[in-house]
Amino acid sequence: MLRPRLGYDPAMSAVTDVEQSTRNFAQRNSGWVKGAARAGYVARGVLWSLIGLLALRLAFAGSGGKKADKSGALQEIGSKPFGKVLLILMAVACALYAAWHLLEAALNFEDKGVGGRIFRVVRAVIYISLVSAILRYALSKQSGNDNKQSEDFTEKMLDWPLGAWLVAAVGLALIGAGIYNGRQATGDRFKKHLECWNSDHAKAVDTLAKVGLFARMLVFVLVGGLFIQAAVTHDKDKAGGLDAALRRLIDWPFGRVLLGALAVGLIAFGLYSFAEAKYRRIETS
């Protein structure tokens, strides 16, 4: 009769086998894995560039009925010739980007530690939800309303036990994400994954990265501030998405100028995403 080896754990062995098989798959298909990641960066670049352009129009020419957020960007794409085809391609690219993040979270090729793995999973979930939103709009012309979704989400949470604290925690998490982008903007950590520093484009990429990441920091802080305001006042109408945050910025002194500058920063982040699609070092081993 065969006896299990001392210390042998069949469950852990199975997990190790699956991880090794997945790692071998990624290495054998490294070209496809890298292509998936680069497609995702292109999709991200399209989305943020359009949001920046919509914000710029909101600042100086009115919104034209379109919101300066994800839903407005989807409407902008969908209104173009072959818009449905473009949206489906966007959805595929975002799905591939999410898959790459899940693969990286599982195998940790970039050695980012536990926190980095969790961040990858969160980002994958965000892009999976984006795939759902894109397909919903492509198939039914219903992109949803980010501001309304934020208000509904906040209203439900406020009815929970300790709901106001949970809403405040969401706001603080968004502000934390903003600080993370700000740290990247003021440092050079983003450079270690790019392979363009010996090229003529290095200075332009560096500028786009810092301006774009700083703009993203402000966006996250503004939206997070709305959630904290909703938690303090116990008023779901105080919450809102990106479009609501940008529209409130207009009411500040020199608000349209500030919004215009922020819009340029968001466009810069979109362009930086295109640079990442070209120059990012994608690890598969």
Side-chain angles (χ1 to χ4, degrees):
M1 179 178 178
L2 293 175
R3 297 180 180 273
R5 296 192 304 272
L6 187 63
Y8 175 74
D9 186 337
M12 286 300 298
S13 178
V15 170
T16 301
D17 289 344
V18 170
E19 181 175 341
Q20 187 59 50
S21 297
T22 306
R23 191 176 294 275
N24 291 340
F25 171 83
Q27 291 171 355
R28 287 196 307 269
N29 298 277
S30 63
W32 287 99
V33 173
K34 292 177 181 180
R38 297 192 195 285
Y41 282 114
V42 170
R44 191 182 76 177
V46 170
L47 196 63
W48 280 100
S49 297
L50 283 174
I51 290 173
L53 289 170
L54 290 169
L56 197 62
R57 184 164 67 185
L58 175 63
F60 299 113
S63 65
K66 292 181 180 176
K67 297 185 178 298
D69 58 14
K70 174 197 69 192
S71 62
L74 296 184
Q75 290 177 39
E76 190 71 21
I77 296 171
S79 66
K80 298 295 182 279
F82 305 105
K84 183 177 287 190
V85 174
L86 293 173
L87 286 169
I88 291 173
L89 289 174
M90 279 276 291
V92 171
C94 289
L96 291 172
Y97 191 59
W100 172 62
H101 278 298
L102 289 174
L103 187 66
E104 174 59 35
L107 302 180
N108 201 24
F109 287 127
E110 295 183 355
D111 194 24
K112 287 184 173 290
V114 175
R117 287 186 170 196
I118 293 172
F119 179 75
R120 294 283 193 180
V121 172
V122 170
R123 183 170 283 183
V125 170
I126 290 171
Y127 275 86
I128 290 169
S129 69
L130 182 56
V131 171
S132 174
I134 294 171
L135 291 177
R136 187 167 60 248
Y137 183 76
L139 299 176
S140 65
K141 294 293 184 182
Q142 297 295 320
S143 63
N145 184 316
D146 289 359
N147 293 335
K148 182 70 165 55
Q149 289 171 359
S150 295
E151 290 174 5
D152 291 345
F153 170 74
T154 303
E155 184 177 26
K156 289 178 182 177
M157 288 189 71
L158 287 173
D159 290 335
W160 295 351
L162 301 176
W165 290 99
L166 293 173
V167 172
V170 171
L172 289 173
L174 288 167
I175 291 172
I179 292 171
Y180 173 79
N181 278 270
R183 286 184 60 194
Q184 286 191 307
T186 55
D188 292 328
R189 288 194 298 171
F190 64 89
K191 290 185 176 181
K192 70 179 181 178
H193 297 301
L194 299 178
E195 298 177 320
C196 60
W197 306 117
N198 294 322
S199 76
D200 295 335
H201 303 138
K203 188 177 230 181
V205 172
D206 184 63
T207 301
L208 289 172
K210 290 182 175 178
V211 172
L213 288 167
F214 186 73
R216 285 242 302 180
M217 177 194 76
L218 294 177
V219 162
F220 280 116
V221 169
L222 285 170
V223 177
L226 293 183
F227 276 93
I228 290 175
Q229 187 179 11
V232 171
T233 61
H234 213 80
D235 182 358
K236 58 101 174 175
D237 291 330
K238 298 294 185 183
L242 174 57
D243 181 73
L246 296 180
R247 288 178 188 275
R248 293 187 192 188
L249 191 60
I250 294 176
D251 297 329
W252 293 15
F254 306 103
R256 291 190 181 275
V257 175
L258 291 172
L259 178 55
L262 183 56
V264 170
L266 295 179
I267 294 169
F269 184 77
L271 296 175
Y272 168 60
S273 296
F274 293 138
E276 280 202 279
K278 179 176 176 60
Y279 293 117
R280 185 178 173 93
R281 186 186 305 110
I282 310 294
E283 304 290 350
T284 58
S285 62

